[in-house]
């Protein structure tokens, strides 16, 4: 009746990725002329940018990533028919780092002002691209000597997460009623700490002569691998640069690349801003009861869960006005002419001394706690032996992402007169802050479904559902009240300031329908015993005043496929359809513009071979046809050809594993 199991797992990953970008931009349109003032004439669908407004940039580099995950767990299970006990303790440590060993990221642009012209725009690309300089001479975009190397960078990071959890569940089957009845209770606690360190260190290219003002070609660093290759969309032999070649040259001759004082400050500012830590502890307790009535045809399951979450975090604190001397009453100290007096310790504008006063690493610390009760009630009724109906209600919630609640604040105080400072109607400044007091959204969920089981072991089911969502997240800027400040962890001195953050903004409703089918093909003959077909689909509708705050909302999704099982061999092919995925709003593209991921269908394959009772060989192929992911940005005012923003091909992911059970 008892089972004790111990699990240990170690997984180490090393990956290397290459990023290469080539961007051609016509810039702001305007009148263009040949030298001497003669206007240019252009054909139909010929979009032209004025000279000096167009740009062509090229950048890229290598990104070695190292990661490791170590997991340990101990689980116990007991079941004697009346008592059932399950418990366990788990722990994991995960690390992920990018040391940028031997790699630069490089950035280059054309070495002269240009005019960029596009012919016959399509969603993928213009049919023709031509670039001219001030003398109306055409510039060859594929000649690396027409570019100048400007900057190089390294972007190391170091992330670590530690997770610990424990659980205990106890179930007791009781014979106190004329029908089967059971009570269950349990508890759970988990703690997760995430420590993040990121850097972005930029260098200027000085060139062989040591003068960064001289436009030097990146030709010495042209990649020797990605040459004479098809780059997609009709482009070939783009003059890509190799970050590893530039790094080797830098190690041999360190004065090729150097940091300017401004780059030193920017690098330190990025490091301090992106040094963050958060720990989240979740404690939960639940009780539930289960009963079977009406000769076991009706099953009722109900219960309530109490959950408490505590978050503590540390992030950067920015106060641009920390460089000024203040009077005893908190106002700015001024000269006789009325100018504010700068602290001697602040150094020069834009210096490291100034940064150390205005941006402090992990100086904004905050903690918050929230809890709630989450009841549920489920009915399952057996209409016939092969037909069941399910009706359920549950209250659920969704926590905010760590990136929304790790403390980080920026203060910008206006330079006001004493009269304005004492005027409650005058906004004193702006606080841009992550809302550490952001609470989870909650939802009342209602589900109704029917399940039909065929004589040959198949399943056909369908259902409808409704989710009433409250307190979903939304961004806003408003004049802060004392209650607003208390919610984000600030004191009363900022009452009347503009407060820019993410709030629990409003309510919305999601309704939908889902269908599911699984059926063996045995009715088609003996060969059909080995095949099973399956399909499922979901259709959603979103409505409510907070509709615009929802991201990654996919109205339509589906999957279908076939599996084969015979003796030691298992094969499966699954097609996945993800409908149009609306993400964040893009107000610069129009009042109703959003970023979208276009609908796509991709194929996953799986195979397994049972070598012995203890060993099996498994393989999987994700997105076997390498279907690209297309990002679009548009609103009702965006022309069709201008909607596509980016196409990403991630390649085919292959995994092969030997699995053992002992």
């Amino acid at each position: 009746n008892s089972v004790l199991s111990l699990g240990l797992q170690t997984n180490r990953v090393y990956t290397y990725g290459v990023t290469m970008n080539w961007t051609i931009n016509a810039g702001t349109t305007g009148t263009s002329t040949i030298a001497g003032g003669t206007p240019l004439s252009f054909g139909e669908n010929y979009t032209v940018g004025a000279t000096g407004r167009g740009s062509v940039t090229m950048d890229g580099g290598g990104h070695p990533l190292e990661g490791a995950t170590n997991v340990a767990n101990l689980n116990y299970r007991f079941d004697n028919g009346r008592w059932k006990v399950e418990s366990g303790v788990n722990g994991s440590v995960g690390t992920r780092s990018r040391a940028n060993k031997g790699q630069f990221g490089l950035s280059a642009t054309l070495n002269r002002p240009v005019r960029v012209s596009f012919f016959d725009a399509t969603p993928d690309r213009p049919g023709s691209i031509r670039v001219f300089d001030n003398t109306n001479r055409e510039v060859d975009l594929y000649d690396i000597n027409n570019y100048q190397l400007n900057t190089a960078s390294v972007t190391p990071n170091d992330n670590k997460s530690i997770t610990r959890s424990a659980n205990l569940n106890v179930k007791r089957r009781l014979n106190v009623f004329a029908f089967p009845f059971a009570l269950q209770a349990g508890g759970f606690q988990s703690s997760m700490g995430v420590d993040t360190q990121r850097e972005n260190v930029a260098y200027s290219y000085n060139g062989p002569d040591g003068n960064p003002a001289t436009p030097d070609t990146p030709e010495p660093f042209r990649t020797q691998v990605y040459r004479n290759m098809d780059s997609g969309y009709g482009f070939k032999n783009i003059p890509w640069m190799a970050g590893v070649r530039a790094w080797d040259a830098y190690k041999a001759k360190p004065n090729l690349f150097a940091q300017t004082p401004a780059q030193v400050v920017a690098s330190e500012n990025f490091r301090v801003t992106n040094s963050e830590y958060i720990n989240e502890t979740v404690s939960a307790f639940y009780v539930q009861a289960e009963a079977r009535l009406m000769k076991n045809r009706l099953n009722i399951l109900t219960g309530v869960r109490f959950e408490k979450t505590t978050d503590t975090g540390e992030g950067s604190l920015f106060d641009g006005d920390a460089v000024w001397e203040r009077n005893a009453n908190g106002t700015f100290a001024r000269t006789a002419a009325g100018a504010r007096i700068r602290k001697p310790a602040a150094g020069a504008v834009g210096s490291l001394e100034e940064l150390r006063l205005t941006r402090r690493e992990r100086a904004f610390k905050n903690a918050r706690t929230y809890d709630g009760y989450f009841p549920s009630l489920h009915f399952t009724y057996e209409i016939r032996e092969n037909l069941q109906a399910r009706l359920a209600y549950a209250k659920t919630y969704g926590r905010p992402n760590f990136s929304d609640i790790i403390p980080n604040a920026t203060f910008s105080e206006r330079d006001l007169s004493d009269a304005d400072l004492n005027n409650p109607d005058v906004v004193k400044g702006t606080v841009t802050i992550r809302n550490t007091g952001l609470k989870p959204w909650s939802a009342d969920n209602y589900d109704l479904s029917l399940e039909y089981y065929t004589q040959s072991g198949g399943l056909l089911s369908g259902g409808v559902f409704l989710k009433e969502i409250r307190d979903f997240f939304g961004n806003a800027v408003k004049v802060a009240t004392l209650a607003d400040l208390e919610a984000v962890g600030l004191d009363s001195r900022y009452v009347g300031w503009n407060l820019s953050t993410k709030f629990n903004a409003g309510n919305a409703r999601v309704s939908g329908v889902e269908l599911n089918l699984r059926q063996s093909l045995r009715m088609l003959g003996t060969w059909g015993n080995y095949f099973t077909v399956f399909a499922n689909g979901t259709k959603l509708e979103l409505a409510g005043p907070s509709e615009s705050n929802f991201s990654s909302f996919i109205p339509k999704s589906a999957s279908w496929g076939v599996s084969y099982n015979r003796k030691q061999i298992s094969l499966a092919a699954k097609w996945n359809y993800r409908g149009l995925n609306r993400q964040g709003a893009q107000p610069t593209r129009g009042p109703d513009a959003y970023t979208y991921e276009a609908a796509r269908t991709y194929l996953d394959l799986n195979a397994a071979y049972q070598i012995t009772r203890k060993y099996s060989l498994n393989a999987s192929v994700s997105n076997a046809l390498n279907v690209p992911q297309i990002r679009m940005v548009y609103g009702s005012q965006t022309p069709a050809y201008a909607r596509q923003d980016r196409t990403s091909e991630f390649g085919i992911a292959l995994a092969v594993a030997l699995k053992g059970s002992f």
Side-chain angles (χ1 to χ4, degrees):
N1 297 329
S2 300
V3 177
L4 181 66
S5 63
L6 172 67
L8 298 171
Q9 179 179 334
T10 297
N11 181 32
R12 306 191 73 84
V13 178
Y14 177 86
T15 61
Y16 177 77
V18 176
T19 300
M20 297 183 292
N21 300 294
W22 198 41
T23 305
I24 307 172
N25 188 356
T28 306
T29 58
T31 303
S32 296
T33 61
I34 302 175
T38 305
L40 294 170
S41 60
F42 305 99
E44 187 177 359
N45 297 326
Y46 199 43
T47 304
V48 59
T51 302
R53 295 180 184 171
S55 64
V56 180
T57 60
M58 183 169 56
D59 60 74
H63 306 283
L65 297 172
E66 298 180 14
T69 303
N70 298 302
V71 180
N73 58 74
L74 179 66
N75 296 288
Y76 173 75
R77 184 176 184 272
F78 171 83
D79 190 346
N80 66 358
R82 297 185 63 187
W83 287 95
K84 182 178 180 181
V85 179
E86 295 177 325
S87 63
V89 291
N90 303 272
S92 69
V93 177
T95 59
R96 182 178 175 87
S97 63
R98 181 169 66 198
N100 270 92
K101 297 175 181 177
Q103 297 286 340
F104 262 139
L106 301 176
S107 180
T109 59
L110 287 178
N111 56 17
R112 72 202 79 174
V114 295
R115 183 182 78 250
V116 179
S117 301
F118 296 143
F119 275 121
D120 303 322
T122 68
D124 280 338
R125 57 159 288 178
S128 175
I129 303 172
R130 301 182 69 187
V131 179
F132 303 88
D133 63 15
N134 277 332
T135 64
N136 207 41
R137 291 182 179 179
E138 191 159 0
V139 178
D140 183 0
L141 299 182
Y142 297 90
D143 185 351
I144 197 170
N145 292 300
N146 287 328
Y147 294 82
Q148 66 181 53
L149 180 57
N150 299 314
T151 60
S153 63
V154 292
T155 55
N157 62 57
D158 191 5
N159 303 305
K160 184 177 183 179
S161 62
I162 299 176
T163 303
R164 301 181 181 90
S165 65
N167 67 85
L168 173 65
N169 302 288
V170 179
K171 183 176 182 178
R172 178 71 161 89
R173 300 174 180 90
L174 302 172
N175 298 320
V176 295
F177 301 109
F179 51 85
F181 180 77
L183 286 175
Q184 183 168 326
F188 170 86
Q189 186 174 71
S190 70
S191 174
M192 181 177 184
V194 178
D195 194 310
T196 300
Q197 303 274 355
R198 295 173 53 207
E199 296 185 59
N200 187 355
V201 184
Y203 298 81
S204 291
Y205 181 51
N206 295 327
D209 62 358
N211 183 3
T214 305
D216 294 298
T217 174
E219 195 277 335
F221 313 125
R222 183 169 184 179
T223 177
Q224 302 302 300
V225 177
Y226 296 97
R227 299 189 69 161
N228 300 312
M229 296 179 65
D230 184 2
S231 299
Y233 308 102
F235 296 104
K236 188 175 182 180
N237 205 24
I238 297 173
W240 301 118
M241 303 171 294
V244 65
R245 291 171 64 85
W247 181 268
D248 290 342
Y250 167 64
K251 300 306 289 184
K253 189 178 180 181
N255 64 345
L256 274 179
F257 297 90
Q259 281 193 290
T260 66
Q263 288 171 329
V264 172
V265 174
S267 299
E268 178 64 7
N269 184 54
F270 186 94
R271 185 195 67 79
V272 173
T273 302
N274 292 278
S275 173
E276 299 177 326
Y277 173 79
I278 191 169
N279 181 270
E280 182 170 83
T281 301
V282 177
S283 303
F285 176 79
Y286 75 93
V287 292
Q288 70 177 36
E290 183 177 7
R292 298 187 66 89
L293 307 174
M294 301 176 64
K295 298 181 180 180
N296 287 335
R297 296 179 64 184
L298 175 63
N299 187 79
I300 302 175
L301 178 67
T302 186
V304 62
R305 177 184 179 93
F306 171 79
E307 191 159 303
K308 179 179 180 180
T309 301
T310 300
D311 291 312
T312 58
E314 301 175 359
S316 74
L317 181 66
F318 179 80
D319 182 1
D321 296 305
V323 299
W324 306 112
E325 298 279 9
R326 292 182 181 268
N327 298 315
N329 62 359
T331 60
F332 292 115
R334 300 179 183 274
T335 66
R340 287 187 289 184
I341 301 174
R342 189 176 177 88
K343 293 178 180 178
V349 174
S351 65
L352 276 175
E353 291 78 11
E354 180 185 69
L355 178 65
R356 293 188 182 105
L357 286 179
T358 58
R359 175 78 70 182
R360 292 186 290 151
E361 183 177 3
R362 299 193 180 188
F364 186 15
K365 306 176 188 292
N366 212 336
R368 56 84 177 263
T369 298
Y370 56 84
D371 54 47
Y373 291 90
F374 303 95
S376 63
L377 178 62
H378 304 263
F379 296 93
T380 302
Y381 181 67
E382 188 178 285
I383 302 173
R384 291 180 2 199
E385 184 178 0
N386 61 344
L387 181 63
Q388 287 187 347
R390 298 180 186 273
L391 176 65
Y393 162 79
K395 183 177 181 180
T396 59
Y397 69 101
R399 294 189 183 92
N401 295 326
F402 282 170
S403 59
D404 291 327
I405 59 175
I406 294 177
N408 188 297
T410 298
F411 299 87
S412 179
E413 186 175 354
R414 296 176 62 192
D415 187 8
L416 301 174
S417 66
D418 289 342
D420 288 334
L421 287 171
N422 294 319
N423 186 346
D425 296 326
V426 175
V427 175
K428 310 300 188 298
T430 299
V431 180
T432 303
I433 192 171
R434 289 179 185 161
N435 188 352
T436 57
L438 192 66
K439 295 182 178 180
W441 54 263
S442 62
D444 291 312
N445 304 270
Y446 306 89
D447 295 86
L448 174 63
S449 64
L450 289 174
E451 298 176 359
Y452 175 73
Y453 298 87
T454 67
Q455 295 296 328
S456 56
L459 169 66
L460 176 63
S461 66
V464 293
F465 55 86
L466 173 67
K467 300 179 183 296
E468 298 280 2
I469 301 173
R470 294 181 300 277
D471 294 329
F472 204 78
F473 314 134
N475 295 303
V477 179
K478 61 182 180 180
V479 177
T481 64
L482 183 59
D484 295 328
L485 296 171
E486 290 176 348
V488 298
L490 296 177
D491 57 47
S492 60
R493 82 182 80 171
Y494 301 107
V495 169
W497 286 46
N498 278 334
L499 180 63
S500 176
T501 190
K502 185 171 286 189
F503 294 94
N504 292 102
N507 307 329
R509 169 181 290 188
V510 177
S511 57
V513 58
E514 54 187 356
L515 300 172
N516 180 53
L517 167 68
R518 179 175 291 274
Q519 178 62 52
S520 169
L521 299 183
R522 67 184 62 176
M523 76 286 294
L524 301 180
T526 303
W527 64 270
N529 289 327
Y530 309 120
F531 291 90
T532 299
V533 295
F534 55 90
N536 60 72
T538 303
K539 173 69 170 63
L540 304 177
E541 289 188 2
L542 172 65
S546 297
E547 181 177 343
S548 61
N549 296 322
F550 280 75
S551 61
S552 294
F553 179 74
I554 305 176
K556 298 177 182 178
S557 61
S559 64
W560 60 93
V562 59
S563 64
Y564 172 85
N565 292 276
R566 185 179 184 183
K567 296 182 178 179
Q568 299 128 298
I569 300 175
S570 298
L571 304 172
K574 181 180 179 182
W575 285 264
N576 304 277
Y577 169 78
R578 290 173 62 86
L580 189 68
N581 179 358
R582 194 187 73 184
Q583 300 180 327
Q586 297 291 338
T588 58
R589 302 287 186 95
D592 60 351
Y594 290 85
T595 297
Y596 298 88
E597 285 185 8
R600 67 172 182 150
T601 302
Y602 57 95
L603 171 65
D604 293 337
L605 302 173
N606 291 277
Y609 179 74
Q610 193 71 39
I611 303 172
T612 67
R613 291 183 60 185
K614 292 184 177 181
Y615 297 98
S616 65
L617 185 65
N618 300 267
S620 65
V621 182
S622 298
N623 194 11
L625 302 179
N626 195 24
V627 176
Q629 185 180 82
I630 299 175
R631 186 177 72 181
M632 302 184 294
V633 182
Y634 66 88
S636 59
Q637 302 173 5
T638 309
Y641 70 83
R643 296 188 171 193
Q644 186 166 307
D645 181 69
R646 184 180 71 189
T647 299
S648 302
E649 293 185 7
F650 299 101
I652 301 170
L654 306 173
V656 179
L658 179 65
K659 182 178 180 181
S661 300
F662 307 98

